[in-house]
Amino acid sequence: MTGFRSSVVYQIYPKSFYDSNGDGVGDLRGIIEKIPYIASLGVDHVWFNPFFPSPGRDNGYDISDYCAIDPAMGTMDDFEELVEALGAHGIGVMLDMVLNHTSTEHEWFRKALAGDERYQRYYYLRDPKPDGSLPTNWVSKFGGPAWEPFGDTGKYYLHLFDRTQADLDWHNPDVREEVAKVVNFWRSKGVRGFRFDVINLIGKPEALLDAPEGTDDRAMYTDGPDVHTYLQWLSEQSFGQDADSITVGEMSSTSIQACIGYSNPANHELSMVFNFHHLKVDYEDGQKWTLKDFDLAALKRLLGEWALGMQEGGGWNALFWNNHDQPRALDRFGDTGQYRYESATMLASAIHLLRGTPFVYMGEEIGMSDPAYTSIDDYVDVEARNAYRALVEGGTDPARAFAVVHSKARDNARTPMQWNAEVPGAGFTTGTPWLRPTNQGTVNVEREEAQGRILPYYRRLIALRQELPVISRGAYAPYLLEHEDVLAYTREHDDSCLMVLCSFRGHDTKVPVPEAFASARILIGNYDGNDRIRSSDELPPVADRLEVGTICLRPYEAIALLA
């Protein structure tokens, strides 16, 4: 394993990676069987979405026992074998810690509901307002009020997500001690990586107040000052004791300034942070459940602002296009038809050569795209179903409501990993898959290994980050911010300078190349065989492509010039 700045992390959604026993659901033994493939990618860590016991209302993010394995996923012996087997390849394990809330099936909540006052203080329990209305006007991120009756006590409990996900009150030192025990339990199993789910929501104020009329209620509970205090304490009590720890915080509706604080090493909080601003550039008026072409100018601006802001403040970004909560980036920002290869490799280049630590979501490396679903019944996710119902009840035509959900649903990324062309299981299962794949006949690992170009390109990008300090540590500067078609930037470290040019369009476009790069060589590119591994003295010169100081980028072309 390497330091987190030169690392690449592979994300696995265990339920959808590989099913070892034919029940249609992925499991730990299935992951163990696929370790040779994971190792072939050259990644340093694997982030696993939760595989703890859970009622499954939010696909595992409603945890009922933090220190056990869901029997559907395997056993603790399986997990320990997984850690050891990955470690034999120099690959670390990163676990998903969902510490903002528990399932209402967790023993803490059940004890609270049974009247145990100690455990009632673990959660946000509030009386209604004097007029009988809910404690605050906050809205759940999954739709509807963020408050639910707490049994027959007359009180309400807070749930910023599904009503079965009760928010923990971190003001209570007993809660903080409990979550530190959870992290330390997994450290004792050899885990050195942790991804903290919506961790910037743990600093809610003790006095929960209404959002003023016309304002966003998220401002009332996001990025509170106590988040830094709690993360510093948790680091001191657990993962901060490990020199080789790697941590990432998922930050909801956050800011650059807050994320500098979370990830600046001087603060002893986290290694890096996820933010989602760049993945909202296809939201109409900032609303997720809308249809809109993505705004390239906004995408460039946001990527640039975060890269520069975090660099200037000493913070560190986790870089990604895809994860288990996002539709596939290939559908959002590329062309899944004529230019599938070019789009997939261009998007990969844009992220992997940027300042930060890249995350690869399973299937991204073979060009997987959104499923060709035709009915809301094809979707399992509670958020998608709630959104569809709300749109229709609000007067949206059902066909358009489905089109909206189909463009943004989280299940788009949760379809099973496509190992081969088999129907219906895509090589993921010998049974009936829990979520149906749709295009495994043309997109699968077996085909990519035999004749594909996307998978080899990803392997090369991953290797380059580990080989070249200019990629893993170089300073970032934007280039051509006003260009309508191209994302471009430079990286500098010691005597090396890298220029990255990425076309987001399906047509030719000309780009000026500074004189300093006229004698540069092409480090990697997705046309003309420039993805092949070469020694530095064999890299082709860019001069062959230049005409009067410009280079003509072809549809969805990516090219990196090393000077």
Side-chain angles (χ1 to χ4, degrees):
M1 292 179 286
T2 58
F4 69 85
R5 289 179 178 82
S6 52
S7 291
V8 177
V9 182
Y10 188 66
Q11 182 189 353
I12 287 178
Y13 193 70
K15 191 174 182 179
S16 295
F17 194 63
Y18 187 65
D19 169 22
S20 69
N21 60 8
D23 65 358
V25 177
D27 47 53
L28 298 187
R29 295 231 62 83
I31 298 169
I32 292 169
E33 288 185 36
K34 294 296 185 180
I35 285 178
Y37 171 78
I38 297 168
S40 78
L41 300 175
V43 298
D44 304 280
H45 305 270
V46 178
W47 157 27
F48 296 99
N49 292 99
F51 43 66
F52 316 113
S54 165
R57 280 282 299 182
D58 188 23
N59 275 285
Y61 282 83
D62 49 328
I63 295 172
S64 56
D65 187 343
Y66 287 111
C67 297
I69 305 296
D70 187 330
M73 294 286 178
T75 67
M76 190 62 74
D77 286 342
D78 293 332
F79 176 75
E80 291 171 355
E81 182 181 340
L82 175 63
V83 173
E84 184 177 357
L86 284 170
H89 291 277
I91 300 172
V93 168
M94 177 181 285
L95 294 189
D96 214 322
M97 297 283 100
V98 188
L99 304 178
N100 174 70
H101 47 262
T102 72
S103 167
T104 52
E105 294 298 311
H106 195 287
E107 68 168 345
W108 301 339
F109 192 85
R110 294 204 312 269
K111 287 180 178 179
L113 202 56
D116 190 322
E117 293 183 0
R118 167 184 165 84
Y119 289 98
Q120 287 179 354
R121 291 190 292 271
Y122 276 36
Y123 298 94
Y124 285 93
L125 305 183
R126 297 291 187 270
D127 292 316
K129 292 175 184 171
D131 64 1
S133 60
L134 296 175
T136 72
N137 61 357
W138 298 359
V139 177
S140 162
K141 292 173 182 288
F142 288 173
W147 295 94
E148 194 74 13
F150 184 64
D152 57 3
T153 65
K155 294 180 181 293
Y156 291 84
Y157 68 89
L158 177 67
H159 63 92
L160 291 180
F161 295 87
D162 186 70
R163 62 181 177 82
T164 64
Q165 294 167 294
D167 280 57
L168 286 166
D169 186 350
W170 278 62
H171 293 286
N172 183 344
D174 290 341
V175 168
R176 299 198 297 273
E177 291 288 346
E178 294 276 18
V179 298
K181 287 179 184 176
V182 169
V183 175
N184 287 329
F185 173 85
W186 293 108
R187 286 177 61 228
S188 73
K189 300 289 184 182
V191 176
R192 292 296 177 266
F194 297 96
R195 181 262 191 189
F196 295 101
D197 185 64
V198 293
I199 198 66
N200 62 328
L201 305 185
I202 63 174
K204 292 176 277 287
E206 288 191 78
L208 306 182
L209 303 175
D210 277 348
E213 188 174 350
T215 64
D216 191 334
D217 64 346
R218 290 175 294 186
M220 307 303 292
Y221 56 75
T222 302
D223 286 329
D226 287 335
V227 179
H228 295 290
T229 303
Y230 296 154
L231 285 175
Q232 289 164 10
W233 181 89
L234 185 60
S235 172
E236 181 182 329
Q237 298 296 316
S238 59
F239 59 82
Q241 299 173 24
D242 301 320
D244 57 346
S245 75
I246 175 171
T247 54
V248 57
E250 181 197 32
M251 302 301 168
S252 171
S253 305
T254 191
S255 68
I256 294 173
Q257 196 58 42
C259 287
I260 288 171
Y262 299 137
S263 62
N264 187 311
N267 290 350
H268 303 286
E269 297 182 32
L270 302 171
S271 307
M272 66 191 92
V273 292
F274 285 120
N275 84 85
F276 296 89
H277 297 281
H278 66 297
L279 294 179
K280 298 179 180 180
V281 296
D282 54 357
Y283 289 16
E284 186 73 51
D285 298 324
Q287 299 300 308
K288 174 176 179 175
W289 301 107
T290 53
L291 283 177
K292 178 179 178 291
D293 290 338
F294 82 96
D295 183 340
L296 179 56
L299 178 66
K300 291 171 55 174
R301 175 178 56 80
L302 287 163
L303 289 175
E305 286 176 356
W306 276 83
L308 276 178
M310 294 290 275
Q311 176 173 274
E312 291 168 359
W316 196 257
N317 281 316
L319 306 170
F320 70 109
W321 289 119
N322 300 277
N323 70 21
H324 62 290
D325 280 337
Q326 299 291 328
R328 293 280 182 177
L330 194 54
D331 293 77
R332 300 174 77 172
F333 307 120
D335 180 341
T336 59
Q338 181 179 358
Y339 296 112
R340 173 182 292 274
Y341 157 75
E342 291 83 0
S343 297
T345 50
M346 180 277 293
L347 289 169
S349 302
I351 286 293
H352 281 253
L353 301 176
L354 199 56
R355 181 184 184 273
T357 296
F359 282 63
V360 178
Y361 179 68
M362 62 178 221
E364 172 186 340
E365 75 277 13
I366 61 169
M368 281 181 63
S369 55
D370 292 346
Y373 288 164
T374 56
S375 166
I376 192 63
D377 294 332
D378 289 325
Y379 286 99
V380 173
D381 184 38
V382 60
E383 185 192 35
R385 287 176 170 268
N386 286 350
Y388 176 79
R389 183 174 62 250
L391 287 168
V392 172
E393 290 175 353
T396 302
D397 175 76
R400 181 170 178 82
F402 178 75
V404 171
V405 171
H406 185 260
S407 74
K408 300 285 169 59
R410 301 189 298 181
D411 276 349
N412 289 350
R414 297 174 179 181
T415 55
M417 183 73 172
Q418 295 172 185
W419 296 100
N420 59 40
E422 292 175 1
V423 177
F428 158 74
T429 180
T430 57
T432 301
W434 75 277
L435 196 60
R436 181 170 58 91
T438 59
N439 67 347
Q440 64 266 41
T442 54
V443 179
N444 61 71
V445 172
E446 189 176 89
R447 180 173 176 145
E448 270 294 310
E449 292 279 21
Q451 63 190 63
R453 299 166 65 198
I454 300 174
L455 182 56
Y457 195 92
Y458 265 83
R459 287 173 171 149
R460 181 62 184 138
L461 280 173
I462 291 167
L464 284 174
R465 171 165 287 270
Q466 295 159 341
E467 293 168 8
L468 299 180
V470 70
I471 297 175
S472 60
R473 296 181 177 274
Y476 163 90
Y479 179 59
L480 296 177
L481 276 177
E482 303 306 315
H483 200 291
E484 295 181 353
D485 301 328
V486 174
L487 168 70
Y489 55 86
T490 61
R491 306 288 310 283
E492 289 190 36
H493 182 77
D494 292 341
D495 58 351
S496 295
C497 190
L498 187 71
M499 171 166 282
V500 180
L501 305 172
C502 297
S503 172
F504 276 72
R505 305 300 189 201
H507 55 73
D508 290 352
T509 185
K510 290 189 175 182
V511 177
V513 175
E515 188 174 340
F517 283 90
S519 59
R521 293 187 171 270
I522 300 173
L523 176 65
I524 190 171
N526 60 354
Y527 276 80
D528 303 329
N530 289 322
D531 56 334
R532 296 175 190 152
I533 297 177
R534 298 180 172 90
S535 63
S536 58
D537 56 353
E538 294 175 326
L539 297 175
V542 73
D544 296 346
R545 292 280 306 275
L546 294 179
E547 183 177 342
V548 196
T550 65
I551 187 171
C552 182
L553 294 180
R554 290 159 285 192
Y556 297 101
E557 181 168 12
I559 189 168
L561 312 179
L562 184 63

